Amino acid sequence: HLRAALPRPVFQTWNPATEPAPGTIEADFHFERPVVTVTSAAAMRTLCRVQGRGHVWLVGAYVRYSMPLLENGVISAIEVGIAATLAHA
C-alpha cells in the first residue's frame, strides 16, 4: 500500500497560497492546460458526431466542452463506456 510506504504525508497543489518550505518539495512539474478555442470547440462537436464509428472511441478532458480538467477526462470515459454499452446492446 502506497500510504504505508511514504515516510510522511504528501500533498499536491497547483497554486499554493504560500510557497512550500525548501527541502519539502518532492517533485516540481510544469505543464500547460489545453485552451478551448473556436477551432477546438468545432472539433469537439465533430468528434461527438463520429464517436464510436468503426468501434473507435476517444476519451479525455479535451473531448468535453468545458474546462479541460482531469475530472472531465474521467467523465468522458464514463460517457463513452455508457455509449459503447448501449451501442452494442
Side-chain angles (χ1 to χ4, degrees), residues 64-89:
R64 302 192 81 243
Y65 187 77
S66 63
M67 287 292 293
L69 302 172
L70 295 176
E71 293 85 350
N72 284 321
V74 173
I75 292 169
S76 78
I78 292 169
E79 291 171 344
V80 162
I82 292 169
T85 300
L86 294 175
H88 297 295

Side-chain angles (χ1 to χ4, degrees), residues 40-53 56-60 62-64:
S40 66
M44 286 183 244
R45 287 189 297 275
T46 300
L47 178 59
C48 287
R49 288 193 303 272
V50 301
Q51 273 285 47
R53 287 188 189 172
V56 175
W57 300 84
L58 298 175
V59 300
Y62 56 88
V63 173
R64 302 192 81 243

Side-chain angles (χ1 to χ4, degrees), residues 15-45:
N15 296 309
T18 58
E19 288 298 315
T24 63
I25 300 172
E26 296 291 330
D28 187 7
F29 297 95
H30 298 275
F31 63 95
E32 294 182 19
R33 292 195 185 276
V35 175
V36 179
T37 64
V38 171
T39 303
S40 66
M44 286 183 244
R45 287 189 297 275

